Amino acid sequence: MATPTTIETPIYHETDATLEPLDGKTVAVIGYGNQGRAQARNMHESGVDVIVGNREDSSHEQATQDGFEVYSIADATARADVVLLLVPDEVQPAIYDRDVGPNLETGDTLVFASGYNVTCDRIALDDDIDVVLVAPRMIGAVVRELYEDGRGAPALLAVEQDASGQAHSRALAVAHAIGATRSGVIETEFETETRTDLMSEQGLFPVFASALLARFEVESAAGVPPAVTLLESYLSREMAHIFEKCATQGLVSQMDLHSRTSQYGQLLGLDEFDREPIREFLRERLDAIDSGEFAAEWTAEQESGYERLSSLRDEYESSEFVETEQATLDAFGLRGL
Ligand code: NDP
């Protein structure tokens, strides 16, 4: 039984999960990149029988050096009962069609770390397999660091297909093995994970970045040296530390760490800010996600060889903002710190 919380969705912790559903099973991690390497090592150290599937290259060598038996993607899938598909979302459909789908047996469990391809019908899944989601809310390197520290990254869990009758318990066991139940594993659906993940990327991040760009424009026009604005905005990392405190203490409680002048300014600005244009922008992005407009656009973009992605990247890389930012990083020895 999941630990009760004030949140109405079940959240699973250490005492709610066991590794038993994986007893006698072989787990294949397909792709040994950001998530693959972290999750494979965590599961192995948790006592799970893990093998790796990767094409023959540096990731393959890395997995071998880390002590894993490494096979081709097709062979690893064929040997396993539980398969974690941890290659980039853009290549998953082709890899599933060619190497994974044909080698899955009835009752095997396919684990995604992102809901995108399932939600957007980009993979034609066989219906005699379990299809589950175990999606850490953390980059791979930190999934590993937290595990080594005796902690874990929170994760989302969902079941799309339950052919074995054990899809949920197996997914929870995988989440447990990667360390996620040490923090908390929240039950959701593939669609919800996809919507919120995409909204972080194309809704929230652009709002944050636009605030930084707008401030740069306003203060530059008002005579503030651009490097001073950028240090104050985020390059000094003070803002990053404030966000860290927001994540560990709360958005308002972290204000205790600031002067009264700062607290008053933060709350006054928050109170006077008109959030409606932001809400409108976020609603538009969510509509584009929900209607499939974004998925269609992104598929066309991939087919075009990432033309718009490259031109947008070039446009922002050559902007005055980014050029000043890069020069400021070097001037203060902040690059890569
Ligand atoms: P990576 O980009 O780190 O994956 C790299 C791995 O995929 C490497 O092993 C690479 O092998 C292999 N790979 C890449 N292209 C191909 C190809 N064409 N054919 C065969 N193998 C290929 O992926 P992530 O770890 O970032 O993402 C994996 C999943 O996790 C995704 O679903 C993602 O959405 C999800 N996720 C990612 C997070 C993150 O922190 N990055 C956070 C939460 C979820 P090679 O060395 O041969 O290139």
Side-chain angles (χ1 to χ4, degrees):
M1 189 50 195
T3 311
T5 68
T6 53
I7 305 162
E8 282 170 15
T9 317
I11 299 177
Y12 304 100
H13 297 284
E14 284 291 85
T15 49
D16 303 310
T18 74
L19 293 176
E20 261 174 53
L22 300 179
D23 276 355
K25 306 235 173 290
T26 299
V27 175
V29 170
I30 306 299
Y32 203 69
N34 293 316
Q35 288 294 330
R37 185 170 186 224
Q39 295 194 26
R41 295 168 92 195
N42 291 5
M43 286 191 293
H44 169 72
E45 283 169 32
S46 292
V48 176
D49 176 19
V50 179
I51 59 172
V52 170
N54 207 89
R55 58 187 179 187
E56 298 226 3
D57 67 357
S58 56
S59 304
H60 189 287
E61 275 168 34
Q62 180 71 65
T64 308
Q65 274 172 27
D66 288 344
F68 290 105
E69 285 173 28
V70 191
Y71 302 93
S72 69
I73 293 176
D75 283 349
T77 305
R79 286 168 182 267
D81 311 287
V82 176
V83 176
L84 276 64
L85 193 55
L86 296 177
V87 293
D89 293 340
E90 305 89 270
V91 302
Q92 284 179 6
I95 290 180
Y96 181 86
D97 287 348
R98 192 187 58 220
D99 298 322
V100 175
N103 290 296
L104 287 169
E105 285 170 15
T106 300
D108 280 354
T109 302
L110 181 64
V111 186
F112 287 87
S114 152
Y116 186 83
N117 285 316
V118 173
T119 305
C120 300
D121 293 325
R122 297 200 66 234
I123 298 185
L125 295 158
D126 296 321
D127 55 16
D128 63 344
I129 56 164
D130 298 340
V131 178
V132 303
L133 176 81
V134 177
R137 293 295 77 173
M138 192 56 78
I139 59 169
V142 183
V143 168
R144 178 65 186 156
E145 276 169 31
L146 287 169
Y147 182 90
E148 286 180 305
D149 258 14
R151 297 188 291 152
L156 270 54
L157 179 149
V159 176
E160 179 79 7
Q161 289 183 189
D162 184 8
S164 69
Q166 294 169 39
H168 191 277
S169 60
R170 288 184 192 169
L172 191 53
V174 168
H176 187 44
I178 65 174
T181 45
R182 294 173 180 179
S183 169
V185 175
I186 188 162
E187 180 108 32
T188 185
E189 302 86 32
F190 272 69
E191 191 184 3
T192 303
E193 193 277 342
T194 305
R195 296 172 90 203
T196 54
D197 193 40
L198 292 174
M199 280 298 281
S200 292
E201 296 161 2
Q202 56 189 274
L204 193 57
F205 179 79
V207 170
F208 283 148
S210 296
L212 296 173
L213 290 167
R215 177 184 180 176
F216 182 81
E217 287 155 11
V218 167
E219 292 191 1
S220 294
V224 179
V228 173
T229 297
L230 290 173
L231 281 172
E232 188 67 38
S233 292
Y234 67 110
L235 293 188
S236 71
R237 300 175 95 179
E238 186 185 15
M239 201 53 86
H241 288 295
I242 292 173
F243 268 95
E244 280 278 345
K245 295 298 175 193
C246 287
T248 54
Q249 293 184 19
L251 201 68
V252 176
S253 300
Q254 62 80 28
M255 288 183 190
D256 293 343
L257 304 169
H258 304 261
S259 68
R260 280 235 165 77
T261 314
S262 169
Q263 293 180 29
Y264 182 64
Q266 290 182 47
L267 291 166
L268 182 73
L270 188 60
D271 202 44
E272 291 192 351
F273 191 85
D274 177 9
R275 284 189 284 283
E276 189 48 28
I278 294 183
R279 282 191 207 104
E280 213 170 292
F281 168 74
L282 294 175
R283 278 187 214 109
E284 278 169 19
R285 290 316 317 155
L286 194 55
D287 284 348
I289 292 165
D290 288 347
S291 66
E293 186 191 328
F294 171 73
E297 184 182 330
W298 178 224
T299 301
E301 175 64 11
Q302 290 169 57
E303 286 164 3
S304 81
Y306 302 106
E307 256 175 45
R308 182 139 194 247
L309 176 62
S310 307
S311 80
L312 283 170
R313 180 93 192 220
D314 290 346
E315 184 186 324
Y316 281 94
E317 292 278 19
S318 59
S319 67
E320 191 192 338
F321 179 93
V322 169
E323 282 176 3
T324 315
E325 172 206 64
Q326 294 299 305
T328 309
L329 281 176
D330 288 335
F332 288 86
L334 296 167
R335 189 180 292 283
L337 270 188

